[in-house]
Every structure is written in C-alpha cells, then in structure tokens.
C-alpha cells in the first residue's frame, strides 16, 4: 500500500512538473494566460489552474468576472477554447469578444445566453461599427457548449470578418465599404467575461438567474493570440500581407466553407436581424451577407 501511495505521489509530481513546463508553451503555440491577458474584473472570482493553462471565470450574487488582452489589435484570427456554465444558467451571459474603447466603438461579439437546465444555450453574435450595433444573429449549437471545450474564433482582416465555431463558419460580415457599409477599423481589445444579463438574456429577460445554482463557472483555455498589435498607432499596417490572416485562404470563404455556412444557417439559425422586417422596414445595406 505504501509503495502504491508513493507511486501515485511520484506520478502526481511528474504530472505537475510536465504541466508547468507545458503551460509556458505546449508546442502548439499555446501560452500561459499571463503572457497576453490579465484579469480585468472580479479578481476574487477568477481561478487559475495548471499555471495559467486554464482560467475559470465565476459568478455569484456578489460579482461576475472577466479578463482582457494586454494589447489592442488591428487585425487577427482571435480564438479561445471555452466551456460555458452548466445546469440551470438562465440569465447568465458568457462572452468572448473584441471591442474598441471609444465612444463610437467597434465590437465583435460571441455571447452565450444561459438557459434553464435541459433547454438550449443560445449563441448570439453581434457586430458594432462606429457605435452602431443591432446586428444580432442567434443560433442553437449542434452540441451542448456546457459539456465540453470548443473553439470559438473571430477572423478580422480588411476583406471580411468571420465567426467560427470549431472550424465551421457561422457568421460572415463582408467589407462592403464600396457599397457604403461601415467596416470596423479601430484597434480592439480581446475580452472574456461572465456576467449577469438576466434583464434580457433568457426569454427576453423573463427568466431570471436562480442563485441557488451559483457559483456559475465558465472555463477557458488556449491563450495564444494571433493578432497585429495596434497600440499607439492606427490599424493601417495591420492589413499588410506579412500577417498570415490577411492572405490567401483567409481573404474569402472557400467553396466548402460556404456550404458548411449555408448548412448551419439552414439548420441552426434561430434569429437573423437581416430577416427581421418588423424591426427593419428597410434592411441595413449589408444584408444579406452571402447569397445562397
Ligand atoms: C496544446 O494545447 C492545446 C489546447 O489545450 C491542445 O489542443 C493541443 O493538443 C496541445 N498540444 C500539445 C502538443 O500538447
Ligand atoms: C504576447 O505577449 C508577449 C509578452 O508580453 C509579447 O511579446 C507578444 O507580442 C504578445 N503577443 C501578442 C500577439 O500580443
Ligand atoms: C475595405 O475594402 C476596400 C476595398 O474595397 C479598402 O479600400 C478598404 O481599406 C477596406 N476597409 C478596411 C477597413 O480595411
């Protein structure tokens, strides 16, 4: 028994040693949380695991929490692996987004809207340009985002913005500035947060947070950043081809990606502002984004 316990102990030591080495960089370009991010809000509600290879944002009735990139970016392919809170999460919002800190701000959002246990968590995306949003789209995912880590990515270059779930494009916002559509140009920071959205998130705000299920926990991994730092200067040099996300296959959807995108929209889209005629009697000029 004693030797068994020792072996387990030795294995744990070896494991934590490996974990600490791997957390700096694990060979796939992944880095520890601290390298490019810092906690922005609710520090006593944030838990760091395995030397920063995983971060838990938690929320109880006192506070939610969040983290943000240390730098702002002018283009990039931003990603994180995350798992939303589970069980009864109605009223909670788990967000991963880019935003500029200006009055007329640009913003690109992934927002997971919690729900009663057993009901689907909605993934809402939105695009703000020069302070103007109102471009919500909603999908019910083909998996339960509270059960496993999945990757959520935002590609942003001068040609297009694409939101990906794992490798499936779920939303596209094209640069149609030649048709008079505004397109994000301001340096943006990468942010993740878990917050109280009970006044709007679930069933239009009718279902509130049930604090008996607190603390809510959203888990994050994968803290490397593929972005063009834009602090202190504009985003002009961020469109140069020296950044891989500005070139080749990243400048448009491939035929295969278009098929996957159309399929997601046919099967999983539950709301698209571009087809909300009650809200927009005249549809915004960017609609529709890609014709079928
Ligand atoms: C590095 O970490 C990422 C994210 O956790 C994982 O997907 C990848 O397989 C890891 N790579 C190696 C070489 O361990
Ligand atoms: C990540 O952080 C390191 C260390 O501060 C910095 O050198 C690097 O430029 C950052 N990378 C990005 C893409 O921001
Ligand atoms: C949008 O595309 C036009 C070319 O059609 C280009 O001149 C402009 O710089 C692009 N806008 C941004 C913000 O990259």
């Amino acid at each position: 028994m004693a030797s068994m316990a020792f072996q387990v102990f030795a294995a744990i030591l070896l494991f934590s040693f490996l974990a600490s080495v791997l957390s700096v960089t694990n060979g796939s370009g992944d880095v520890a949380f601290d390298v490019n991010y810092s906690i922005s809000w609710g520090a006593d509600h944030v838990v760091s695991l395995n030397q920063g290879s995983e971060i838990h944002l938690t929320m109880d009735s006192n506070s939610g929490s969040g983290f943000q990139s240390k730098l702002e970016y002018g283009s990039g392919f931003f990603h994180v692996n995350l798992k939303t809170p589970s069980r009864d999460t109605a009223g909670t919002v788990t967000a991963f987004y880019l935003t500029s800190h200006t009055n007329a701000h640009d913003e690109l959002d992934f927002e997971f809207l919690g729900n009663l246990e057993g009901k689907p968590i909605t993934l809402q995306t939105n695009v703000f340009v020069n302070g103007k949003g109102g471009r919500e789209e909603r999908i019910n995912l083909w998996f339960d985002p509270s059960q496993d880590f999945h990757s959520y990515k935002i590609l942003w270059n001068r040609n297009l913005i694409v939101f990906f779930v794992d490798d499936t494009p779920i939303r596209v916002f094209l640069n149609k500035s030649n048709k008079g559509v505004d397109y994000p140009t301001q340096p943006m920071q990468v942010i993740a947060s878990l917050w109280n959205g009970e006044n709007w998130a679930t069933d239009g705000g009718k279902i509130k947070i049930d604090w008996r299920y607190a603390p809510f926990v959203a888990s994050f991994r994968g803290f490397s950043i593929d972005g063009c730092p834009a602090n202190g200067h504009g985003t002009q040099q961020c469109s140069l081809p020296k950044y891989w996300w500005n070139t080749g296959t990243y400048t448009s959807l491939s035929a295969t990606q278009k098929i996957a995108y159309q399929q997601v929209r046919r099967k999983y889209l539950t709301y698209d502002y571009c087809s909300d005629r009650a809200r927009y009697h005249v549809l915004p000029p960017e609609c529709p984004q890609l014709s079928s």
Side-chain angles (χ1 to χ4, degrees), residues 275-289:
S275 33
D276 191 343
R277 291 279 182 180
R279 185 179 180 193
Y280 294 107
H281 297 292
V282 177
L283 288 182
E286 69 270 16
C287 297
Q289 278 297 324

Side-chain angles (χ1 to χ4, degrees), residues 71 93 102 137 194 237 263:
L71 303 180
V93 178
T102 47
E137 291 187 8
L194 174 59
Q237 83 337 341
Q263 188 169 333

Side-chain angles (χ1 to χ4, degrees), residues 204-277:
K206 289 206 274 293
I207 307 180
K208 305 298 181 190
I209 293 181
D210 186 340
W211 294 108
R212 288 175 303 173
Y213 291 89
F216 301 98
V217 180
S219 313
F220 295 81
R221 290 179 186 163
F223 300 110
S224 62
I225 296 182
D226 292 309
C228 163
N231 289 55
H233 46 73
T235 54
Q236 208 61 31
Q237 83 337 341
C238 289
S239 61
L240 293 176
K242 70 171 177 174
Y243 298 108
W244 54 263
W245 52 85
N246 290 330
T247 62
T249 57
Y250 299 98
T251 58
S252 63
L253 290 195
S254 69
T256 318
Q257 285 178 323
K258 275 185 195 161
I259 291 168
Y261 168 83
Q262 299 297 358
Q263 188 169 333
V264 165
R265 300 179 74 78
R266 218 169 33 244
K267 285 170 113 167
Y268 304 107
L269 192 70
T270 59
Y271 177 81
D272 180 0
Y273 76 108
C274 280
S275 33
D276 191 343
R277 291 279 182 180

